[in-house]
Amino acid sequence: DEYLQISWPITKPIYQRAILWANIDQCAKRSKKKEKELKDKSKFEDKFTAKENKKSSSIFSGIFGKGSSKYDDDGAPKQKHQYKFEKLWRDLVVDQFDKTADKVDDDEKKEPEIVISVDDDDEKKENDDKDKKSKKKKNKEQDEIRRTRTGEEILCEILKINGSSIKTEFNKQSSDKFDICSIYEVSNNFIEESYNKRKKLIQQFSLNGDSEKLNETKLWYSLSRDQVFKIINNGFRRKYGRSNSMGFGHKFYKNASDAIRGDGDIGNSYKSDSDNMKYLLYCSVIVGESCLGHREMKIPDQKPNKSYIMFETSVDMLPLDKNKYFIIFQDHQAIPLNIICIKQKQSEQPKAYVPKKPITSSSFGQHGKNRSYDFDPSIFLQHFNAGANQQQQSAQQQAQQLAALQQAQLQQQAALQQAQQQAQAAGDNNAQK
């Protein structure tokens, strides 16, 4: 009675099952809920302890200067962000670009050297192999995709620079109407590789290998704050483009002021954000050979010499000396070099609308020294009644004038009738004679 007979496994027939004898006191149903509850309790306890530790660290470490909310994990004081874009891009900002990955790639591209080894050098070989593997692992870890606090993938790095040459060029073109708040340099290995591949393809198949016809130029690109992250992270892709006056794609300007104003598509120009900031990208663009664009253009025209190859860009005017902007149609035909965050100067901002003074009692009649700016209904009624009386008088005058005209017309008619009667009577007398 103390033991229980169990046949196992149930999926097999009885003659293939094993018979197990188990003690009844040790048998019980497996409860999954209890295990989940225990796990949840342990997680909750861990979270609770972590929160309490943070609170205690912030209380006690605030006295000693580290660990409080004003300090990072390393103990350094946190930077106060003046603008919103600084908070959103803080995961992208780097003190210095990491160039170790490029050096490793160059080493891997080199041809392997032939070395005649002796048995004594086997240990050295093993050590070298281990070092190479460790280096590759480190590089892979460095190249792993980072993520922002919002969960989006990060593939690029930006570095805050002085950018004196860009500032001088921008101030010349914008005639000193804007203040440059910050300039960032962009580094993204993925975009650089794809840009170089696109350049090689265009040079080989579209321009017959002539590198001079690539016509790489530095141009300005206007965009919103949200689009900055997309483009510096994933590059200039066609899906990020939009319809312009000269075709569908990305529109680049020669002049910075035209880019800010959105020349040619003023209705589509980007407005400033909540901080009254506007954003520009200083880019390198493969212009190549250009054709004249139009609004419904989704793909550029075909070249006359090669019917299956199309122009690289479209423009608003030919020749290229007179045009203001270019539109690209292919992925990774441009690469962002710098981000420029600008703000309009207070002297150049449009003046606020000042409403006129409200209607007052003094505006209806007398203009005395003691003017009351409150509405007085009695004065309004006086003027309203005066206007009604004037209308009545004018109506009476019009009626009198009409009556006088009617009397004059009747008198004229009566005089005409008398003259006609006299003429008839004189005619009858003459006939009788």
Side-chain angles (χ1 to χ4, degrees), residues 208-248:
N208 296 324
D210 192 355
S211 60
E212 293 180 357
K213 290 183 180 179
L214 285 170
N215 193 11
E216 283 187 86
T217 54
K218 303 289 177 63
L219 301 173
W220 301 93
Y221 184 80
S222 176
L223 71 171
S224 64
R225 185 176 59 199
D226 296 332
Q227 281 188 329
V228 172
F229 180 82
K230 290 182 181 179
I231 289 174
I232 64 174
N233 201 28
N234 300 315
F236 285 99
R237 294 190 178 180
R238 184 176 169 81
K239 65 181 180 181
Y240 299 148
R242 57 179 185 164
S243 58
N244 298 292
S245 59
M246 293 295 154
F248 180 85

Side-chain angles (χ1 to χ4, degrees), residues 357 360-363 365-374:
K357 290 182 179 179
T360 61
S361 60
S362 60
S363 62
Q366 297 176 357
H367 297 278
K369 291 182 180 179
N370 298 323
R371 293 185 180 182
S372 62
Y373 287 92
D374 297 327

